[in-house]
Amino acid sequence: MVRTAVLVSGGGSNLQAILASQLFGEIQNCNLVSVISSNPGAYALDRARAAGIEVSVVDVSTFPTKRTFNTALMQKLGDLDIELVVLAGFMQVLQRPICKEYENRIMNVHPSLIPAFCGPGQYGLHVHQQVLDYGVKVSGATVHFVTEEVDGGPIILQKAVDVLPDDTAKTLQRRIMEQAEWEILPKAIDLFCRGKLTVEGRRVRIDEGA
């Protein structure tokens, strides 16, 4: 069983999708050890407690620098002997030491088809509003491995979602979560935990065998 931690900062809708997928047996060989939040008031912590998952808080507001926060977070992951880190609405940028320590073992879901509409400052409704302002017809979500380059790591899975003529940023956000994020993030976790992913440079190979 792969010892896994999910990092959160807010409501935890992607965490809920992971919990539901585990409940229905769609994620195999995964031991969800802990949900760790950078925000002590995150509703995601309540979701985790309701599911019987251990929770921890590494409160970013209590650290003088991003470096000291990252150091404390890496210490927490080490104490828990974590093998896979999943970012699910985690609003902090991970720095080089933690990215190197967990190279190809941290995954994140981003609400666009990378490399479009991604990078520093691109999160949440900002992404979806830029999609609408640009006038693209298709958006979607991407699960990728995390590197020190924001949204720049190897892509694991992507799924496209149509942009509708009457969409707002909020309606597009909701559809992408429901039709893409909540599907491909649990699937990527399952693939990792079953040893089905191999990283070759920028390419992630998926073993399609049983």
Side-chain angles (χ1 to χ4, degrees):
M1 300 284 279
V2 177
R3 293 179 62 83
T4 303
V6 178
L7 274 52
V8 299
S9 297
S13 60
N14 279 316
L15 170 64
Q16 194 65 53
I18 294 168
L19 295 172
S21 294
Q22 276 207 305
L23 179 64
F24 287 104
E26 296 167 357
I27 300 177
Q28 300 178 34
N29 201 41
C30 177
N31 177 15
L32 182 46
V33 174
S34 184
V35 171
I36 303 172
S37 178
S38 63
N39 168 20
Y43 181 62
L45 294 172
D46 294 331
R47 294 181 190 267
R49 292 187 187 103
I53 306 298
E54 175 188 313
V55 303
S56 299
V57 175
V58 182
D59 185 352
V60 66
S61 70
T62 65
F63 292 89
T65 65
K66 296 295 186 183
R67 175 177 293 183
T68 54
F69 168 75
N70 270 254
T71 299
L73 180 60
M74 188 160 65
Q75 180 65 55
K76 171 60 71 174
L77 295 171
D79 290 345
L80 293 171
D81 196 22
I82 296 301
E83 299 168 282
L84 172 64
V85 180
V86 179
L87 309 187
F90 187 66
M91 301 305 294
Q92 304 302 318
V93 174
L94 299 182
Q95 295 183 335
R96 180 181 178 83
I98 195 169
C99 290
K100 298 302 285 186
E101 177 70 21
Y102 291 91
E103 186 175 10
N104 297 330
R105 295 191 292 142
I106 307 174
M107 61 176 62
N108 178 54
V109 62
H110 181 77
S112 76
L113 296 175
I114 292 175
F117 308 105
C118 67
Q122 295 279 23
Y123 62 90
L125 290 175
H126 299 291
V127 176
H128 304 296
Q129 189 59 57
Q130 285 206 355
V131 165
L132 296 176
D133 291 345
Y134 203 88
V136 300
K137 304 301 183 184
V138 176
S139 189
T142 303
V143 179
H144 63 95
F145 283 117
V146 173
T147 65
E148 58 190 298
E149 178 187 354
V150 177
D151 298 330
I155 291 170
I156 304 168
L157 294 171
Q158 291 184 299
K159 186 175 181 184
V161 175
D162 288 338
V163 179
L164 303 182
D166 60 348
D167 264 329
T168 65
K170 287 186 176 180
T171 61
L172 182 58
Q173 179 187 52
R174 184 69 185 184
R175 189 181 320 102
I176 287 175
M177 285 194 297
E178 292 176 347
Q179 296 183 11
E181 294 181 46
W182 297 350
E183 176 183 331
I184 64 175
L185 181 56
K187 183 176 180 181
I189 296 169
D190 174 67
L191 289 168
F192 181 97
C193 291
R194 290 193 295 122
K196 299 294 185 180
L197 302 179
T198 303
V199 182
E200 300 174 356
R202 285 210 48 84
R203 295 193 177 198
V204 178
R205 305 287 186 183
I206 300 175
D207 178 0
E208 301 291 355

